[in-house]
Amino acid sequence: MEEFVLHSGHSIPAISFGLGTSYRDRPKEDLVWGILKAYDKGYRHFDTAIVYNTEQFLGETLNNLTGITVTTKIHSKYLDYQEVRISWFEK
């Protein structure tokens, strides 16, 4: 699978499984099924955002799986690293 190399030297899979519009505000069972199905099909990069209301279930579902990359979007009011770190880990 093709990967992107980040400035840090780490790499992430070029294709991600998105948990946005089609999963937004759907029941937990639908989301867990979709995540596990994507994982079984070879996805190792999952993309979400706080506005989709899928981050918690993604974290719970992927907790025992290996080789996972998760990307997310943050609100524009969090413009510096310290604010993002604090707001993310408080949740």
Side-chain angles (χ1 to χ4, degrees):
M1 179 177 282
E2 190 171 338
E3 295 186 337
F4 293 118
V5 178
L6 306 175
H7 292 287
S8 65
H10 293 91
S11 60
I12 61 172
I15 299 174
S16 67
F17 185 79
L19 296 167
T21 307
S22 64
Y23 282 99
R24 185 178 187 165
D25 297 323
R26 289 187 48 192
K28 178 181 179 178
E29 298 78 25
D30 290 355
L31 186 61
V32 170
W33 180 88
I35 293 166
L36 292 175
K37 187 74 164 177
Y39 185 85
D40 288 343
K41 294 291 183 182
Y43 283 90
R44 296 298 183 265
H45 182 186
F46 294 84
D47 181 64
T48 186
I50 197 165
V51 298
Y52 303 151
N53 199 28
T54 58
E55 290 177 325
Q56 178 182 348
F57 299 140
L58 175 63
E60 291 172 6
T61 305
L62 297 179
N63 190 40
N64 296 317
L65 304 177
T66 60
I68 302 298
T69 298
V70 175
T71 53
T72 190
K73 277 75 72 190
I74 58 171
H75 193 280
S76 62
K77 71 180 179 178
Y78 301 114
L79 296 179
D80 76 28
Y81 173 77
Q82 189 64 18
E83 289 177 345
V84 170
R85 193 175 74 73
I86 290 169
S87 68
W88 181 260
F89 289 106
E90 283 178 350
K91 294 179 183 205

